[in-house]
Amino acid sequence: MTAKNEKAKAKVEQAKGKAKEAAARAVGNESKTAEGRAEKAKGDLRQAKEKTKDAFRK
């Protein structure tokens, strides 16, 4: 995958995770809240990886 695809995928994961976490918190579903946090964290890690790659490309 290209760097742009990976960055976009990271943003999508972050957004989905944040939305899932907020929706689950609103209805009091703790397990879904945790799933949302995990998905957001996965997106955060993917984004950090891409930023690190960009730093070494320069």
Side-chain angles (χ1 to χ4, degrees):
M1 289 193 149
T2 67
K4 283 186 178 183
N5 286 347
E6 288 295 320
K7 287 178 184 177
K9 194 172 183 179
K11 290 286 186 192
V12 169
E13 283 177 339
Q14 289 170 327
K16 281 175 50 181
K18 195 171 191 177
K20 186 184 284 185
E21 181 181 0
R25 187 174 287 142
V27 296
N29 187 332
E30 194 56 40
S31 66
K32 289 290 182 187
T33 300
E35 274 183 37
R37 277 194 302 260
E39 194 167 335
K40 184 176 177 293
K42 184 177 174 185
D44 291 344
L45 288 173
R46 186 183 304 274
Q47 184 177 37
K49 179 182 87 172
E50 290 305 313
K51 284 183 178 182
T52 302
K53 281 189 207 175
D54 288 346
F56 283 104
R57 286 185 188 136
K58 293 180 179 177

